[in-house]
Amino acid sequence: MKHIYEAGSDPAAPVLLLLHGTGGTERDLLGIAQYIDSSASILSVRGNVLENGMPRFFRRIAEGVFDIEDLKFRTAELNEFIDQAAEQYGFDRKRVVAIGYSNGANIAASLLFHYQDALMGASLHHPMVPLRDIALPDLNSAQVFMAAGKNDPICPPQESEELRELLEGAGASVELLWENSGHQLTRSEVEAAKKWYEASFKQ
Ligand code: MLT
């Protein structure tokens, strides 16, 4: 997959897996990753699917209606890509923390839904429930931060609550931040994500 890898100065820090929103690229979240942990290694990936020229991580049939077969295929493809990147760049595959926005948050949630060890943690910005009717793995060791907007026209508030319940039901520790915002990524939610990250992984 098209990506950027930058080795960080702290080998003990998690590797930050950056997953952009629809129409974004692997450059979009670099500034946020730098702000959250400037000493961490970064693996930033561009989605392999194009929707009218806009990169995405999986196909959708309409806004908010996902192509579930493609989502499953792309989730496995991304997981294998992270495995290969860990070998190629020599990072610890067990210490990957995703930072995903919108479509990128949705594929990060799908990684959590499908694999016990794909992610040590995830910062999910404006995610949805990626798919239903699937038995989640044991996520007891996963730390998850979610940021949601009460006025988000793309992710209805009940979807954020449902995602939180599904992840907590599988054992994950979840912190959900509500803001009076829409679908956009806010400065204050990134500040809250940094606090969550430091409490979870830098102690
Ligand atoms: C998705 O398709 O993953 C969600 O609707 C969010 C987005 O617009 O990318």
Short mmCIF file of all heavy atoms in Angstrom, two decimals, residues 103-128:
data_model
loop_
_atom_site.label_atom_id
_atom_site.label_comp_id
_atom_site.label_asym_id
_atom_site.label_seq_id
_atom_site.Cartn_x
_atom_site.Cartn_y
_atom_site.Cartn_z
N ASN A 103 -13.48 7.84 7.57
CA ASN A 103 -13.31 6.54 6.91
C ASN A 103 -12.11 5.78 7.49
O ASN A 103 -12.15 4.55 7.63
CB ASN A 103 -13.14 6.76 5.39
CG ASN A 103 -13.02 5.47 4.62
OD1 ASN A 103 -12.01 5.21 3.99
ND2 ASN A 103 -14.04 4.65 4.66
N GLY A 104 -11.06 6.50 7.87
CA GLY A 104 -9.89 5.87 8.49
C GLY A 104 -10.21 5.33 9.89
O GLY A 104 -9.69 4.29 10.30
N ALA A 105 -11.08 6.03 10.62
CA ALA A 105 -11.52 5.52 11.93
C ALA A 105 -12.36 4.26 11.75
O ALA A 105 -12.29 3.33 12.55
CB ALA A 105 -12.33 6.59 12.67
N ASN A 106 -13.13 4.23 10.66
CA ASN A 106 -13.99 3.07 10.43
C ASN A 106 -13.20 1.81 10.11
O ASN A 106 -13.53 0.72 10.58
CB ASN A 106 -15.00 3.38 9.32
CG ASN A 106 -15.98 4.46 9.74
OD1 ASN A 106 -16.13 4.73 10.93
ND2 ASN A 106 -16.62 5.10 8.78
N ILE A 107 -12.12 1.96 9.33
CA ILE A 107 -11.32 0.74 9.05
C ILE A 107 -10.51 0.37 10.29
O ILE A 107 -10.30 -0.82 10.55
CB ILE A 107 -10.44 0.87 7.79
CG1 ILE A 107 -9.90 -0.52 7.40
CG2 ILE A 107 -9.28 1.82 7.98
CD1 ILE A 107 -10.23 -0.98 6.04
N ALA A 108 -10.12 1.36 11.11
CA ALA A 108 -9.43 1.02 12.37
C ALA A 108 -10.38 0.24 13.28
O ALA A 108 -10.00 -0.77 13.89
CB ALA A 108 -8.94 2.29 13.07
N ALA A 109 -11.64 0.69 13.37
CA ALA A 109 -12.63 -0.05 14.17
C ALA A 109 -12.82 -1.45 13.59
O ALA A 109 -12.96 -2.43 14.34
CB ALA A 109 -13.96 0.70 14.19
N SER A 110 -12.79 -1.58 12.27
CA SER A 110 -12.94 -2.91 11.65
C SER A 110 -11.74 -3.81 11.98
O SER A 110 -11.92 -5.02 12.19
CB SER A 110 -13.11 -2.74 10.14
OG SER A 110 -13.34 -3.98 9.53
N LEU A 111 -10.54 -3.24 12.06
CA LEU A 111 -9.38 -4.04 12.51
C LEU A 111 -9.64 -4.58 13.91
O LEU A 111 -9.38 -5.75 14.18
CB LEU A 111 -8.10 -3.18 12.51
CG LEU A 111 -7.40 -2.92 11.18
CD1 LEU A 111 -6.29 -1.88 11.38
CD2 LEU A 111 -6.83 -4.19 10.57
N LEU A 112 -10.16 -3.72 14.80
CA LEU A 112 -10.46 -4.17 16.17
C LEU A 112 -11.55 -5.25 16.15
O LEU A 112 -11.49 -6.21 16.92
CB LEU A 112 -10.92 -2.98 17.03
CG LEU A 112 -9.86 -1.96 17.41
CD1 LEU A 112 -10.51 -0.69 17.96
CD2 LEU A 112 -8.88 -2.52 18.42
N PHE A 113 -12.55 -5.09 15.29
CA PHE A 113 -13.66 -6.05 15.24
C PHE A 113 -13.20 -7.43 14.74
O PHE A 113 -13.81 -8.44 15.07
CB PHE A 113 -14.76 -5.54 14.29
CG PHE A 113 -15.77 -4.62 14.94
CD1 PHE A 113 -15.40 -3.69 15.90
CD2 PHE A 113 -17.11 -4.70 14.58
CE1 PHE A 113 -16.34 -2.85 16.49
CE2 PHE A 113 -18.07 -3.86 15.16
CZ PHE A 113 -17.67 -2.95 16.13
N HIS A 114 -12.16 -7.46 13.90
CA HIS A 114 -11.75 -8.72 13.26
C HIS A 114 -10.59 -9.43 13.93
O HIS A 114 -10.48 -10.65 13.83
CB HIS A 114 -11.38 -8.47 11.79
CG HIS A 114 -12.56 -8.31 10.89
ND1 HIS A 114 -13.11 -7.08 10.60
CD2 HIS A 114 -13.31 -9.23 10.24
CE1 HIS A 114 -14.13 -7.26 9.78
NE2 HIS A 114 -14.29 -8.55 9.56
N TYR A 115 -9.67 -8.67 14.56
CA TYR A 115 -8.42 -9.29 15.02
C TYR A 115 -8.10 -8.88 16.45
O TYR A 115 -8.12 -7.69 16.77
CB TYR A 115 -7.24 -8.86 14.12
CG TYR A 115 -7.46 -9.15 12.67
CD1 TYR A 115 -7.76 -8.11 11.78
CD2 TYR A 115 -7.39 -10.45 12.18
CE1 TYR A 115 -7.98 -8.36 10.44
CE2 TYR A 115 -7.61 -10.72 10.84
CZ TYR A 115 -7.91 -9.67 9.98
OH TYR A 115 -8.12 -9.93 8.66
N GLN A 116 -7.73 -9.86 17.26
CA GLN A 116 -7.42 -9.57 18.66
C GLN A 116 -6.17 -8.71 18.80
O GLN A 116 -6.11 -7.84 19.67
CB GLN A 116 -7.22 -10.89 19.41
CG GLN A 116 -6.95 -10.70 20.87
CD GLN A 116 -6.92 -12.02 21.62
OE1 GLN A 116 -6.88 -13.10 21.02
NE2 GLN A 116 -6.96 -11.94 22.93
N ASP A 117 -5.18 -8.96 17.93
CA ASP A 117 -3.87 -8.33 18.14
C ASP A 117 -3.49 -7.32 17.06
O ASP A 117 -2.34 -6.94 16.96
CB ASP A 117 -2.77 -9.41 18.19
CG ASP A 117 -2.96 -10.32 19.39
OD1 ASP A 117 -3.38 -9.81 20.45
OD2 ASP A 117 -2.72 -11.52 19.25
N ALA A 118 -4.42 -6.90 16.25
CA ALA A 118 -4.05 -5.97 15.17
C ALA A 118 -3.59 -4.64 15.75
O ALA A 118 -2.64 -4.03 15.28
CB ALA A 118 -5.22 -5.76 14.23
N LEU A 119 -4.30 -4.16 16.80
CA LEU A 119 -4.01 -2.84 17.36
C LEU A 119 -3.94 -2.94 18.88
O LEU A 119 -4.80 -3.55 19.52
CB LEU A 119 -5.12 -1.85 16.98
CG LEU A 119 -5.36 -1.60 15.50
CD1 LEU A 119 -6.58 -0.69 15.31
CD2 LEU A 119 -4.13 -0.98 14.83
N MET A 120 -2.93 -2.28 19.46
CA MET A 120 -2.85 -2.17 20.92
C MET A 120 -3.85 -1.11 21.40
O MET A 120 -4.33 -1.15 22.53
CB MET A 120 -1.42 -1.79 21.28
CG MET A 120 -1.19 -1.52 22.73
SD MET A 120 0.56 -1.38 23.14
CE MET A 120 1.01 0.12 22.32
N GLY A 121 -4.10 -0.15 20.53
CA GLY A 121 -5.03 0.91 20.88
C GLY A 121 -5.45 1.65 19.63
O GLY A 121 -4.88 1.45 18.55
N ALA A 122 -6.45 2.51 19.78
CA ALA A 122 -6.92 3.27 18.64
C ALA A 122 -7.57 4.57 19.10
O ALA A 122 -8.32 4.58 20.08
CB ALA A 122 -7.91 2.46 17.82
N SER A 123 -7.24 5.63 18.39
CA SER A 123 -7.89 6.92 18.59
C SER A 123 -8.81 7.12 17.39
O SER A 123 -8.34 7.33 16.26
CB SER A 123 -6.80 8.01 18.67
OG SER A 123 -7.34 9.23 19.06
N LEU A 124 -10.10 6.99 17.65
CA LEU A 124 -11.09 6.96 16.56
C LEU A 124 -11.83 8.30 16.52
O LEU A 124 -12.58 8.61 17.45
CB LEU A 124 -12.07 5.81 16.79
CG LEU A 124 -11.46 4.42 16.98
CD1 LEU A 124 -12.55 3.39 17.29
CD2 LEU A 124 -10.68 4.00 15.74
N HIS A 125 -11.62 9.05 15.47
CA HIS A 125 -12.22 10.38 15.36
C HIS A 125 -13.41 10.31 14.41
O HIS A 125 -13.25 10.06 13.23
CB HIS A 125 -11.15 11.39 14.91
CG HIS A 125 -10.04 11.47 15.91
ND1 HIS A 125 -10.01 12.43 16.90
CD2 HIS A 125 -8.97 10.66 16.12
CE1 HIS A 125 -8.95 12.22 17.66
NE2 HIS A 125 -8.30 11.15 17.21
N HIS A 126 -14.61 10.46 14.99
CA HIS A 126 -15.87 10.42 14.23
C HIS A 126 -16.07 9.09 13.49
O HIS A 126 -16.32 9.06 12.29
CB HIS A 126 -15.94 11.64 13.29
CG HIS A 126 -15.73 12.92 14.03
ND1 HIS A 126 -16.76 13.66 14.54
CD2 HIS A 126 -14.58 13.54 14.43
CE1 HIS A 126 -16.26 14.71 15.20
NE2 HIS A 126 -14.94 14.65 15.15
N PRO A 127 -15.98 7.99 14.29
CA PRO A 127 -16.18 6.67 13.68
C PRO A 127 -17.65 6.28 13.63
O PRO A 127 -18.49 6.88 14.30
CB PRO A 127 -15.44 5.74 14.66
CG PRO A 127 -15.69 6.39 16.00
CD PRO A 127 -15.70 7.89 15.74
N MET A 128 -17.93 5.24 12.85
CA MET A 128 -19.25 4.60 12.83
C MET A 128 -19.07 3.14 13.22
O MET A 128 -17.94 2.67 13.37
CB MET A 128 -19.85 4.70 11.42
CG MET A 128 -20.06 6.13 10.98
SD MET A 128 -20.52 6.26 9.25
CE MET A 128 -22.16 5.56 9.28
#
